[in-house]
Amino acid sequence: MHGITLAGHRYVFPDLKVLMARASPLRSGDVLAGIAARSEEERVAAQFALADVPLTAFLQEHVVPYEEDEVTRLIVDSHDRDAFAPIAHLTVGGFRDWLLSDEADAQALAALAPGVTPEMAAAVSKISRLQDLMVMAAKCSVVTRFRNTIGLPGRLSVRLQPNHPTDDPRGIAASILDGLLLGAGDAVIGINPATDSPERAHALLSMLEEIRLKLDIPTQSCVLAHVTTTLDLIRRESPVDLVFQSIAGTQAANRSFGIDLALLAEARDAALSLDRGTLGNNVMYFETGQGSALSANAHHGVDQQTLEARAYAVARRFQPLLVNTVVGFIGPEYLFDGKQIIRAGLEDHFCGKLLGVPMGVDVCYTNHAEADQDDMDALLTLLVAAGVNFVMGVPGADDIMLGYQSTSFHDALAMRDLMGRRPAPEFETWLARQDLTDAAQRIRPRALPQRFRALLPA
């Protein structure tokens, strides 16, 4: 039981689950679920009460029952109490103060990450302003490797997303060419296939492999098929670099995706057996998004931001190369407008980085949301300032297959110029070899390199 008196009124919250939901900044998904604060005053009261909760309370009380949920069991059973010890005496508010202090540097935060549970991270985010979320996230460094190095300080990587509504190889090749010329693709060249056909997925993987080898690109490819499809592709010796899967923060929500932790472990082992990485063995790519558990009716009455943080515990277990929250993709039923999308993107980024997850963000919105590209420009700029590992590069920022608005190759290039961010080092060296950078190492293609002409449609 948690209670506080505010403005002469006594507010009582029966458990951590209710308190966390009431303390969440306003978002349409929590209102839809019937768990949001019933007034702004109640929200502030819940945030005051949450700030006084000891961090140890999250080790004793679980928002989703241990007996019912394998994600809860993963969080509890993998918690590192030695890593937690330096902050074990703190409250949520005290933890926030420490995270903002000079004592919390990159080395200290990396050592702390195994001792932080998702619920602790979510609680801190709920009592933090946007500036706090940015400052705290910017201190965290999570570096991963496959064929290049992602997440180093001062770097910004880009997923080249050349989706096509019919998986037309010519259209995909044109988009890849466009992206490479503008410096995208160091995070991954990743295609969302238009169909679930294993044959089509194999053809796309083979095409990506041919392009990578022809141009000798130090990057990795991925066809974002379901994990079971990718497992079958590995068995048939398709050129699989990364295994992709959407994940969520409860066992029931993951079941709605057709997965569980055992299946993810099997897929990771299969990808590792291929030994295709040259610099490292981070072989998984996960996508998440606030609202996925609610949309599957698998939220257990827990607020969507806390459940999103729990998805990062799933990701952390499998040491991924990339994790990104597709922040505005599910729709206005969960994040109604630009203000809510911006807040959610910075929350997700902070929570993921604090938990030791290599976070990127798909800065995006659906066409029926109360948001526009100005909102995305604002969120993109804030995320880059906060040290996001990677963002999306979509031709014209308009994904013509998935039907949503994201960020373009030019947007990422603008952020690299504005914020002094550079690509992954191995990819940057490759860009220079292709004569795509100028004397100041800025990405400035002067002409189409002869080798790239092989990508042009016949």
Side-chain angles (χ1 to χ4, degrees):
M1 186 76 70
H2 308 271
I4 190 170
T5 300
L6 188 68
H9 183 82
R10 182 69 177 170
Y11 289 94
V12 177
F13 308 97
D15 54 31
L16 270 179
K17 178 167 70 174
V18 172
L19 177 62
M20 294 273 278
R22 297 285 198 268
S24 284
L26 177 65
R27 62 209 57 205
S28 52
D30 292 340
V31 174
L32 180 66
I35 60 175
R38 291 159 290 193
S39 68
E40 288 301 323
E41 187 174 282
E42 184 186 34
R43 179 171 289 109
V44 171
Q47 290 170 346
F48 269 106
L50 182 59
D52 288 336
V53 172
L55 292 180
T56 52
F58 295 96
L59 303 178
Q60 300 157 3
E61 183 181 346
H62 309 132
V63 297
V64 182
Y66 181 94
E67 299 75 17
E68 299 177 15
D69 187 90
E70 69 172 0
V71 177
T72 300
R73 293 193 290 274
L74 170 67
I75 292 166
V76 173
D77 296 347
S78 64
H79 181 249
D80 187 332
R81 288 187 176 268
D82 290 337
F84 176 64
I87 61 168
H89 63 290
L90 296 177
T91 62
V92 172
F95 188 27
R96 171 187 168 275
D97 292 343
W98 181 83
L99 287 167
L100 290 168
S101 74
D102 291 338
E103 187 180 347
D105 58 17
Q107 184 176 356
L109 290 168
L112 178 67
V116 179
T117 70
E119 290 83 359
M120 293 175 194
V124 169
S125 77
K126 294 176 193 300
I127 64 167
S128 298
R129 53 192 288 204
L130 298 189
Q131 183 182 100
D132 297 338
L133 297 172
M134 294 169 61
V135 169
M136 294 185 294
K139 298 181 180 189
C140 300
S141 178
V142 184
V143 178
T144 55
R145 294 176 175 87
F146 188 76
R147 290 198 188 93
N148 57 24
T149 307
I150 299 170
L152 291 169
R155 305 280 176 169
L156 172 65
S157 293
V158 183
R159 170 189 161 188
L160 203 171
Q161 184 171 312
N163 297 343
H164 192 279
T166 63
D167 289 336
D168 177 27
R170 295 172 301 170
I172 291 171
S175 294
I176 292 174
L177 174 61
D178 189 15
L180 291 173
L181 289 173
L182 293 172
D186 52 338
V188 63
I189 303 176
I191 303 172
N192 296 88
T195 74
D196 293 329
S197 162
E199 291 72 24
R200 184 66 59 85
H202 173 77
L204 291 174
L205 281 171
S206 299
M207 173 188 173
L208 291 175
E209 178 75 346
E210 182 182 0
I211 290 172
R212 183 183 69 81
L213 292 174
K214 266 184 182 176
L215 300 182
D216 192 25
I217 311 170
T219 190
Q220 37 284 328
S221 65
C222 185
V223 171
L224 282 67
H226 191 269
V227 64
T228 53
T229 300
T230 305
L231 266 171
D232 288 340
L233 292 169
I234 291 174
R235 295 185 188 110
R236 66 185 283 184
E237 300 183 350
S238 296
V240 173
D241 286 344
L242 305 183
V243 175
F244 168 81
Q245 183 55 49
S246 295
I247 57 173
T250 70
Q251 179 178 339
N254 283 325
R255 189 184 305 122
S256 76
F257 290 147
I259 63 167
D260 57 21
L261 299 181
L263 180 60
L264 294 178
E266 179 187 353
R268 179 173 182 268
D269 288 344
L272 287 172
S273 73
L274 300 177
D275 196 26
R276 288 174 59 82
T278 54
L279 297 183
N281 59 1
N282 300 116
V283 296
M284 304 299 284
Y285 174 17
F286 296 122
E287 286 189 344
T288 67
Q290 288 192 29
S292 58
L294 176 57
S295 68
N297 195 28
H299 59 100
H300 297 270
V302 181
D303 69 271
Q304 64 185 41
Q305 190 262 326
T306 298
L307 292 179
E308 173 71 7
R310 283 168 56 94
Y312 305 147
V314 175
R316 179 169 64 177
R317 164 67 179 81
F318 299 103
Q319 301 175 338
L321 180 76
L322 308 166
V323 177
N324 71 271
T325 168
V326 194
V327 64
F329 182 74
I330 302 181
E333 299 84 0
Y334 308 97
L335 295 169
F336 180 72
D337 56 16
K339 182 179 178 65
Q340 292 186 15
I341 292 171
I342 289 170
R343 171 86 199 184
L346 291 170
E347 288 171 347
D348 296 351
H349 177 245
F350 159 70
C351 287
K353 292 295 271 297
L354 183 61
L355 291 166
V357 172
M359 283 302 295
V361 178
D362 189 344
V363 178
C364 64
Y365 64 102
T366 57
N367 291 321
H368 62 308
E370 291 296 320
D372 58 28
Q373 210 63 37
D374 284 345
D375 296 314
M376 300 306 102
D377 285 350
L379 176 54
L380 176 62
T381 306
L382 296 175
L383 283 165
V384 175
V388 70
N389 278 23
F390 69 102
V391 296
M392 304 300 122
V394 177
D398 182 3
D399 192 304
I400 57 174
M401 193 277 282
L402 292 174
Y404 78 117
Q405 308 304 310
S406 184
T407 49
S408 71
F409 307 134
H410 294 83
D411 293 333
L413 187 58
M415 289 299 102
R416 282 171 168 166
D417 282 357
L418 180 65
M419 300 284 192
R421 298 296 196 266
R422 293 158 61 186
E426 301 84 2
F427 193 81
E428 182 178 48
T429 299
W430 177 82
L431 289 171
R433 286 204 312 267
Q434 310 310 310
D435 199 27
L436 296 177
T437 58
D438 64 12
Q441 292 188 303
R442 299 176 304 174
I443 299 165
R444 295 291 188 271
R446 289 179 290 278
L448 180 65
Q450 185 62 37
R451 296 172 67 195
F452 281 43
R453 295 185 184 276
L455 299 185
L456 289 172

